[in-house]
Amino acid sequence: MFEKLLSKLEDPNYPLLGPNIKCLKFWGLLLPEEKTFMRKFYICVHSCMFCFMITEFIDIWYIGSDMNQLITNMKSTMLAIVSVNKVVTYLWWQKDWKNIMAYVTKADIEARTCTDEENREIITVYTRYCRRISYLYWLLTYTTAAAVIALPMSYWFSSSTYRDNVRDGTEDYYQVVSSWVPFNKNKLGGYLAASAVQSFATTYCGGWISSYDTNAIVIMVFFKAELQLIKNRCSKIFEVDDEEEIMNRIKECHRRHNVLVKYVTGIVLRFL
């Protein structure tokens, strides 16, 4: 059952990046090309998330000199800043990211057509490694998000003192994340509404982080694997006696190396 579920994430058009591209599209980091409803919807959600981050900064003003609440706020606010920065830069450089993923997909498909057993073993190893990284990182991120969302509820049911303090007004409700809302979040109705907004933001932030990070890691793993494949090809250039075939092999290794250097250098100059 679990394997069947994971197989749904595969895409024959993207043998390596299939699950990562689907994750990017699901969380709206890879926007549809056409000006469709979904493109507008994702832009709207990203904008709302940016506004939510602002409410976390506003909440700092109302916290005042309460150091415990300030530290709690800063933990989520710093993570929100990192997440929003990733999304903004990814959307701003969307064309560059798509070019890189197009190159990775093309080079990966070319490598998979090779009949050399040693190269095919390298491909199998790095594909399996990328899948493990992606799935385990997703599991870690979504589990963390679920734990953050469930923490206030578990705190409520596990501590009778906390419940009594909330009822008599000596203690405020424990929030999912610290943020400002334009209503009283220390009343039950306002608290539930605020918790719903905060839970959605936490879930979406987790989706942003998981899709962005795993995509970047898989691309870097591929760069390393491509170097291994080129090295292996170079070691076998002179295994034949045909001079024309030797020249073709040299040209192919040179071409793949130049293209790899082009995109690696482009990433360093553009993103770092």
Side-chain angles (χ1 to χ4, degrees):
M1 178 180 174
F2 190 64
E3 291 181 357
K4 186 176 180 180
L5 177 63
L6 294 180
S7 68
K8 297 290 185 181
L9 298 173
E10 300 293 337
D11 188 336
N13 296 320
Y14 304 98
L16 179 65
L17 292 174
N20 303 96
I21 288 178
K22 286 188 176 182
C23 190
L24 288 167
K25 288 182 176 179
F26 181 81
W27 295 108
L29 291 182
L30 271 180
L31 295 171
E33 295 288 349
E34 301 81 11
K35 293 183 178 179
T36 58
F37 168 78
M38 289 306 299
R39 182 183 178 89
K40 296 177 181 177
F41 169 77
Y42 280 124
I43 291 175
C44 180
V45 173
H46 296 331
S47 301
C48 291
M49 288 292 293
F50 181 76
C51 292
F52 179 81
M53 182 191 71
I54 294 176
T55 66
E56 292 184 286
F57 281 103
I58 295 174
D59 195 55
I60 295 176
W61 174 267
Y62 289 96
I63 288 174
S65 58
D66 190 327
M67 188 57 64
N68 288 332
Q69 289 191 32
L70 181 61
I71 293 173
T72 301
N73 175 285
M74 293 304 295
K75 288 191 297 184
S76 60
T77 302
M78 292 300 101
L79 179 60
I81 292 173
V82 172
S83 301
V84 170
N85 182 63
K86 287 180 178 181
V87 173
V88 170
T89 55
Y90 197 94
L91 296 177
W92 185 262
W93 292 323
Q94 183 111 144
K95 183 178 178 181
D96 299 287
W97 276 108
K98 287 182 177 180
N99 287 337
I100 292 170
M101 288 188 286
Y103 155 69
V104 169
T105 299
K106 181 180 178 180
D108 178 58
I109 292 175
E110 286 181 4
R112 291 174 191 274
T113 60
C114 178
T115 58
D116 183 86
E117 286 300 322
E118 191 172 345
N119 278 1
R120 295 185 69 84
E121 178 63 23
I122 293 173
I123 294 168
T124 301
V125 169
Y126 78 67
T127 302
R128 188 184 300 119
Y129 182 70
C130 289
R131 291 294 184 273
R132 287 176 179 173
I133 287 176
S134 297
Y135 296 150
L136 290 175
Y137 194 92
W138 292 351
L139 178 63
L140 174 65
T141 306
Y142 302 147
T143 302
T144 302
V148 171
I149 293 170
L151 184 59
M153 186 179 297
S154 63
Y155 194 38
W156 172 269
F157 287 109
S158 64
S159 175
S160 58
T161 303
Y162 166 70
R163 293 195 299 270
D164 293 337
N165 290 342
V166 170
R167 290 190 183 104
D168 62 26
T170 57
E171 190 172 353
D172 295 334
Y173 283 106
Y174 192 89
Q175 300 180 71
V176 176
V177 293
S178 183
S179 66
W180 173 83
V181 289
F183 47 80
N184 189 351
K185 59 185 177 182
N186 292 315
K187 298 294 184 181
L188 181 60
Y191 172 72
L192 293 176
S195 295
V197 174
Q198 293 164 359
S199 298
F200 175 80
T202 301
T203 303
Y204 215 86
C205 184
W208 276 354
I209 294 172
S210 63
S211 56
Y212 182 100
D213 288 355
T214 52
N215 181 63
I217 293 170
V218 168
I219 288 174
M220 289 188 287
V221 170
F222 173 79
F223 287 159
K224 178 183 180 247
E226 180 70 357
L227 281 174
Q228 290 179 311
L229 292 172
I230 294 173
K231 177 183 176 181
N232 189 47
R233 287 173 181 267
C234 290
S235 68
K236 299 181 180 181
I237 287 177
F238 298 103
E239 288 185 351
V240 295
D241 296 327
D242 188 346
E243 290 186 9
E244 184 177 353
E245 177 62 20
I246 290 174
M247 287 303 300
N248 289 336
R249 291 186 178 188
I250 293 174
K251 290 177 182 178
E252 177 63 13
C253 290
H254 185 260
R255 180 189 68 82
R256 292 181 74 101
H257 181 264
N258 281 346
V259 176
L260 177 62
V261 170
K262 170 188 172 183
Y263 282 96
V264 171
T265 305
I267 289 178
V268 172
L269 294 178
R270 168 66 77 177
F271 303 122
L272 301 180

